[in-house]
Amino acid sequence: MTTTSVHPAWLPTEAWRPIGTRRVRVDVTGTVRDEVRAACALHGGELVTTGEADLILRIGGADGYAITRERHVTTVSSATHAGLLHGLFATVRMGESAFVPGPRIDSAPAFARRMLDHWDNLDVHPVMGQVERGYAGGSLFWRAGALRTADLPRVRDYARLLASIGINAVALNNVNVHATEARLLTDRLPDLVTLADVFRPYAVRVHLAVTFAAPIVLGGLDTADPLDPAVRAWWSVTLAAVYERIPDFGGVLVKADSEGRPGPFAYGRTHADGANMLAEALAPHGGVVHWRAFVYNHRQDWRDRTTDRARAAYDHFAPLDGAFAGNVVLQVKHGPMDFQPREPISPVLAAMPRTRLAMELQITQEYTGQQRHVCYLAPMWSAVISGAPAARELAGVANTGDDPFWTGHPLAQANLYAFGRLAWDPSLAPETILDEWITLTFDPDDAAREALHAIMDESWRTYERYTAPLGVGFMVRPGHHYGPDVDGYEYTPWGTYHFADRDGVGVDRTVATGTGYTGLYPYPWNEIFESLADCPDELLLFMHHVPYTHVLRSGETVIQHIYDTHFAGVSEVEAMRERWQRIKIAPDVHARVSTLLDEQLRSAIEWRDQINTYFFRKSGIGDIRGRKIY
Ligand code: BDP
């Protein structure tokens, strides 16, 4: 496996470390962007001089950064090392305009912590591979159970890449913590120390996913009961030892009582008991616990219509509002199920005003085409972020790996870029972010820029059109979750059902006749979702079970909508592919994306034909436009 890679061009190619005041001369008559890149080569107070204008990097001012642009002098100022770094990267993004006199720019991040969660295993897992739900090769950090020490330069590039988009925290191992990963907390700690040293200059703090059972599996105790004094003492001593080696260690990330992971329920304790125990051990060092709210019964009886997985996180956590310590961050998936292409915003995010909340997004495309399909996710994220103002932090499941393009699909880099940019400034429009990314990555001519927008802007909606309809979700192949299998999960214990029969489809989550889920939302969303007339079309089958002849707000019947969107989705992918064939772009990128678009089209056709045929057979209602359905 090679460690050289294609750098996303939004990155300066050289490392730099901003400490104290820096003054860099750049040549305004040369290529300014190149000069800004040269400025990034700055190390330890050296002055890079090539011309008449200055880029001055100065510590001072507020958190975040300010950029002032006067004639020949552009000044970046910040109170912090991190702010200075982000200010410099902002000038890189601005290109020439950073050096044209203009109004002062003040920028501060909307989310205090902007975190990436890597679901990396140290070794190849027999079922999940190395990176769980990873579609970009192996782990950047780990190989064959060990730290990739020879590849640390690439990790440094990665740290810089993350800093360039404002990421400031990273969890370096899978939330499903297996035996080897667990030991990063104790005897494998030196590996974490090494990685923390690599990330530190880029103001990215490292976090570690830990197993709740650590006192047993690592400490030799016979319990992990959070109220047991010996257990509490073990965590205090163990975490203190981590801080001795990594003074800026961010904290721990925990998946407990979820999908078979150990947790406080085994001891009759609550999630607040579990999280607060860790919080107490971390508090003296300024660390935080990210405690995931992804807790549900994954062994439910599918015949039992009263259990609703969408309710689970709310039912477990909302009653605990106010019970969590101040340094516990409850990390909540953006939707109530599991990263489907379309879900309502999780009601947990509106139900816990006395709890620190992080919203969790999935950058890795588990359910959105697995980095084989073009699916630019910023439009979805932008909507869910603006709909959940209580979330103070943003966490994203990473889509990166040791693939030469970092993300498998070269265009999936745009999702990582957009995650960082939205976490900094959620008011940025998805098309604007994409435009930035296109400019920085390809420096394209007008035709290529237009083609990239045409391919990517709407690609999430295209993906939605040819997959599960109207918010019902899943319908994917069990296990790996790629490609269609309408009934794949229908009679399983996972709680992900569509309830299609000959008369209709959808999950009745109303208060009046269903699971009561709609009632978990504050007004007016409880009433909007409860009402068949007011529920947005795109979430209709998430909230209601309706006949195929039900007329949507769009004026179409449900069955006709299914046919129309599935035909449209495939046509859109065909158009993407044609555009891509004509685009002028770097040959290696072109070749990789061409192959992937072939696969996307094959897969979209497979989705269209299975979904359409399934619903035609169930309903017996034909397509009014007379297209071929098998
Ligand atoms: C699901 C993934 C699974 C993760 C789980 C989680 O299929 O691999 O472990 O989420 O978030 O989406 O913990």
Side-chain angles (χ1 to χ4, degrees):
M1 185 66 62
T2 171
T3 59
T4 53
S5 52
V6 179
H7 283 272
W10 78 73
L11 276 179
T13 49
E14 298 296 328
W16 82 297
R17 250 179 256 141
I19 306 161
T21 299
R22 302 282 180 270
R23 173 177 284 250
V24 186
R25 301 191 74 86
V26 297
D27 180 3
V28 282
T29 61
T31 316
V32 171
R33 196 182 301 141
D34 286 346
E35 294 300 340
V36 177
R37 286 177 189 188
C40 296
L42 189 66
H43 273 285
E46 261 174 77
L47 203 64
V48 179
T49 307
T50 52
E52 50 177 352
D54 286 343
L55 167 67
I56 301 171
L57 307 173
R58 195 166 58 203
I59 291 186
D63 201 21
Y65 58 83
I67 301 175
T68 54
R69 293 166 294 164
E70 286 146 28
R71 195 170 142 70
H72 297 325
V73 183
T74 293
T75 306
V76 179
S77 29
S78 173
T80 61
H81 164 125
L84 202 56
L85 184 69
H86 297 136
L88 176 73
F89 283 118
T91 63
V92 175
R93 275 196 299 276
M94 290 167 70
E96 323 276 329
S97 68
F99 301 93
V100 176
R104 177 187 155 112
I105 296 164
D106 285 288
S107 187
F111 291 94
R113 200 182 329 260
R114 305 167 301 280
M115 182 163 176
L116 277 192
D117 291 356
H118 277 265
W119 286 357
D120 294 18
N121 299 314
L122 271 65
D123 215 337
V124 176
H125 184 271
V127 181
M128 290 295 168
Q130 189 180 15
V131 179
E132 181 155 333
R133 311 306 180 183
Y135 313 102
S139 170
L140 287 160
F141 318 120
W142 317 107
R143 181 188 284 165
L147 181 67
R148 296 179 66 163
T149 37
D151 299 319
L152 289 176
R154 192 169 187 199
V155 177
R156 196 198 58 181
D157 288 350
Y158 186 58
R160 192 170 76 254
L161 187 158
L162 299 190
S164 79
I165 52 170
I167 302 292
N168 65 354
V170 64
L172 295 168
N173 62 313
N174 192 356
V175 286
N176 295 318
V177 183
H178 311 291
T180 318
E181 291 81 27
R183 291 169 47 204
L184 289 169
L185 189 60
T186 51
D187 59 312
R188 300 289 297 270
L189 182 60
D191 291 346
L192 202 63
V193 173
T194 303
L195 289 170
D197 289 345
V198 176
F199 279 102
R200 187 170 299 109
Y202 297 97
V204 179
R205 292 171 78 165
V206 302
H207 295 239
L208 188 67
V210 298
T211 168
F212 195 77
I216 301 172
V217 296
L218 300 171
L221 303 185
D222 57 10
T223 177
D225 182 348
L227 299 192
D228 185 303
V231 170
R232 299 175 89 88
W234 186 85
W235 279 111
S236 288
V237 169
T238 304
L239 288 167
V242 174
Y243 279 95
E244 224 162 82
R245 304 288 307 279
I246 311 174
D248 57 355
F249 177 62
V252 298
L253 168 64
V254 188
K255 172 176 179 177
D257 291 316
S258 170
E259 300 183 331
R261 310 320 300 167
F265 285 166
Y267 309 98
R269 311 298 184 196
T270 69
H271 281 258
D273 294 331
N276 290 347
M277 165 193 65
L278 293 168
E280 184 184 86
L282 288 159
H285 315 283
V288 292
V289 187
H290 285 95
W291 190 270
R292 297 179 83 229
F294 184 60
V295 176
Y296 71 100
N297 176 9
H298 70 293
R299 300 231 172 87
Q300 80 173 67
D301 182 343
W302 57 268
R303 290 158 294 202
D304 165 18
R305 281 222 176 197
T306 62
T307 307
D308 181 2
R309 173 166 161 181
R311 291 191 59 117
Y314 184 102
D315 290 343
H316 283 300
F317 288 95
L320 296 176
D321 187 33
F324 289 99
N327 59 332
V328 173
V329 183
L330 188 67
Q331 188 163 310
V332 186
K333 290 193 183 190
H334 68 86
M337 295 294 282
D338 196 2
F339 298 136
Q340 296 306 290
R342 178 74 73 168
E343 287 190 43
I345 294 169
S346 169
V348 176
L349 292 165
M352 303 189 67
R354 291 177 296 154
T355 305
R356 264 170 91 172
L357 296 171
M359 181 191 277
E360 184 178 299
L361 302 171
Q362 196 180 40
I363 312 170
T364 192
Q365 291 172 237
E366 176 178 3
Y367 292 101
T368 51
Q370 303 202 347
Q371 276 135 263
R372 286 183 253 182
H373 295 218
V374 182
C375 188
Y376 176 54
L377 292 164
M380 166 165 82
W381 295 339
S382 171
V384 295
I385 292 169
S386 66
R392 288 272 158 267
E393 298 189 8
L394 210 57
V397 183
N399 67 345
T400 37
D402 69 3
D403 169 73
F405 291 99
W406 298 90
T407 52
H409 201 307
L411 303 186
Q413 285 184 10
N415 285 329
L416 178 62
Y417 185 84
F419 173 81
R421 299 291 287 128
L422 284 171
W424 189 279
D425 181 0
S427 73
L428 289 169
E431 324 72 77
T432 308
I433 296 174
L434 185 62
D435 203 60
E436 264 180 32
W437 179 78
I438 289 172
T439 305
L440 294 165
T441 303
F442 299 113
D443 198 10
D445 62 19
D446 288 351
R449 180 188 304 281
E450 199 194 315
L452 283 160
H453 274 288
I455 289 165
M456 296 177 74
D457 276 335
E458 287 287 304
S459 53
W460 162 60
R461 291 194 177 82
T462 295
Y463 184 83
E464 180 183 30
R465 284 186 191 109
Y466 60 76
T467 54
L470 295 162
V472 76
F474 288 89
M475 300 193 169
V476 290
R477 298 224 172 97
H480 59 66
H481 300 164
Y482 187 74
D485 186 347
V486 182
D487 283 336
Y489 275 115
E490 196 58 15
Y491 309 106
T492 70
W494 294 91
T496 53
Y497 313 125
H498 55 65
F499 298 111
D501 58 22
R502 65 177 185 177
D503 300 317
V505 58
V507 192
D508 184 355
R509 293 196 159 106
T510 62
V511 173
T513 53
T515 67
Y517 171 83
T518 60
L520 307 182
Y521 286 90
Y523 177 83
W525 292 104
N526 54 349
E527 294 193 355
I528 291 171
F529 291 147
E530 179 79 7
S531 154
L532 200 48
D534 295 336
C535 183
D537 285 349
E538 64 270 19
L539 290 171
L540 185 76
L541 301 184
F542 192 95
M543 304 291 178
H544 297 269
H545 184 89
V546 297
Y548 295 112
T549 51
H550 172 81
V551 177
L552 296 167
R553 290 160 66 87
S554 69
E556 285 290 1
T557 60
V558 165
I559 191 72
Q560 193 57 41
H561 172 95
I562 292 174
Y563 298 148
D564 287 352
T565 49
H566 285 76
F567 282 112
V570 169
S571 306
E572 286 158 21
V573 177
E574 280 165 349
M576 282 179 183
R577 195 157 149 271
E578 270 162 39
R579 275 181 208 280
W580 186 262
Q581 278 159 2
R582 293 197 307 271
I583 205 168
K584 288 193 182 48
I585 223 145
D588 54 345
V589 176
H590 196 275
R592 173 78 73 96
V593 175
S594 295
T595 310
L596 291 166
L597 278 167
D598 290 348
E599 164 54 18
Q600 181 169 1
L601 181 59
R602 185 209 60 77
S603 175
I605 291 170
E606 187 181 28
W607 270 100
R608 177 194 68 191
D609 291 345
Q610 288 200 23
I611 299 273
N612 283 351
T613 301
Y614 179 94
F615 285 106
F616 173 60
R617 289 189 190 166
K618 282 265 146 133
S619 69
I621 303 172
D623 172 29
I624 55 172
R625 293 179 233 292
R627 290 162 295 195
K628 185 166 169 63
I629 294 176
Y630 295 86

